[in-house]
Amino acid sequence: MDQLSLTFHALADPTRRAILARLAQGEVTVNELAEPFDLKLPTVSKHLKVLQRAGLVSQGRRAQWRPCRIEPEPLKEVSKWMWDYRAFWDESFDRLDEFLTR
Amino acid sequence: MDQLSLTFHALADPTRRAILARLAQGEVTVNELAEPFDLKLPTVSKHLKVLQRAGLVSQGRRAQWRPCRIEPEPLKEVSKWMWDYRAFWDESFDRLDEFLTR
DNA sequence: CAGCTAATTAGCTACTTGGCAGAATACTAG
DNA sequence: CTAGTATTCTGCCAAGTAGCTAATTAGCTG
């Protein structure tokens, strides 16, 4: 599957978006991540794997913890893709566009 | 499923993104849409249903044709969601942000 | 009405996914 | 080495999807 599809697929789940929102505020361990959800750990681990496959999340290693971190690159690609459609989502795009190209 | 998940799911397929790209240039019938793909009509019709379920596409009626049109609302929601992560995808977000809030 | 074209629906197969439980791995602490 | 904690891996099941063919609906035209 191509990068953009992987990313959109990863984002197409509320649990995974919530995980991303949490990681946007800083590194968190898997247990801490799982805590607010009504899900078993292996399930959260699976969601993380989907996010990792998309490159949206990476995991480090500190003792037996594997702190998760958000990775920006795929979001940049999404925003690039979105930009081609700005005429459809940004009513004031022409003013903004005018400004940016100046 | 929630709106954002439906939208991301619909976008997580190259064929469906290509369909959207085509529709961004104007209304097209289903047959015209299917033509560039190596897919049978029912398959394209199914993809269209996914896009419609997400609200990204609507179909009109002109005789026996059902011209498809792109709908902006879900893309707006995506761009709103993306905005919360601009720190992660837009290196110059702070300058832009500063401009927009002024 | 009969015949034509446009498009969808139904039904099938193969594959993927989201959830779980239970076993396995990785590392720390004693 | 043993016990304990953090995390992942392996199977399992139910549900969903992408593709196909064949059949059906909707509307035009002779």
Side-chain angles (χ1 to χ4, degrees):
Chain A
M1 234 204 281
D2 63 286
Q3 178 59 52
L4 213 43
S5 298
L6 283 173
T7 306
F8 279 130
H9 170 71
L11 296 177
D13 182 292
T15 302
R16 289 195 287 264
R17 288 197 304 278
I19 287 175
L20 263 198
R22 182 87 184 271
L23 294 180
Q25 295 167 228
E27 285 198 6
V28 181
T29 69
V30 180
N31 260 299
E32 289 168 334
L33 261 185
E35 196 264 340
F37 301 108
D38 197 18
L39 295 174
K40 298 300 173 186
L41 258 178
T43 305
V44 174
S45 197
K46 228 178 193 177
H47 280 303
L48 275 174
K49 232 168 64 178
V50 174
L51 287 163
Q52 284 183 74
R53 194 159 63 111
L56 282 160
V57 162
S58 69
Q59 269 174 295
R61 206 174 256 258
R62 202 153 50 225
Q64 67 266 59
W65 294 275
R66 277 154 235 198
C68 306
R69 203 174 24 179
I70 191 171
E71 293 289 342
E73 198 51 40
L75 289 177
K76 281 184 200 167
E77 301 222 3
V78 169
S79 85
K80 260 187 256 171
W81 181 87
M82 285 288 294
W83 190 247
D84 296 335
Y85 294 87
R86 63 194 178 282
F88 297 100
W89 52 261
D90 189 355
E91 293 98 347
S92 61
F93 89 98
D94 31 35
R95 281 181 292 128
L96 183 61
D97 197 24
E98 197 192 350
F99 165 76
L100 289 173
T101 53
R102 246 191 291 122
Chain B
M1 236 202 281
D2 64 284
Q3 178 59 51
L4 213 43
S5 298
L6 284 172
T7 306
F8 278 130
H9 170 71
L11 296 176
D13 182 292
T15 302
R16 288 193 289 262
R17 289 198 303 279
I19 288 176
L20 263 197
R22 182 85 186 273
L23 294 180
Q25 295 167 229
E27 285 198 4
V28 182
T29 69
V30 179
N31 260 300
E32 289 168 335
L33 261 185
E35 197 264 341
F37 301 108
D38 197 18
L39 295 173
K40 299 299 175 187
L41 257 179
T43 306
V44 174
S45 197
K46 231 178 193 177
H47 280 303
L48 275 173
K49 234 170 60 175
V50 174
L51 287 163
Q52 286 183 71
R53 194 160 63 113
L56 281 160
V57 162
S58 68
Q59 270 174 295
R61 205 172 257 262
R62 201 154 50 227
Q64 66 266 60
W65 293 276
R66 275 155 238 199
C68 304
R69 202 173 26 178
I70 190 171
E71 293 288 341
E73 198 51 39
L75 289 176
K76 280 185 202 169
E77 301 222 2
V78 169
S79 85
K80 260 186 257 169
W81 180 86
M82 285 288 294
W83 190 246
D84 295 336
Y85 295 87
R86 64 194 178 283
F88 297 99
W89 52 261
D90 189 355
E91 294 97 348
S92 60
F93 89 97
D94 30 36
R95 280 182 293 127
L96 183 60
D97 197 23
E98 197 192 350
F99 165 75
L100 290 173
T101 52
R102 245 192 293 122

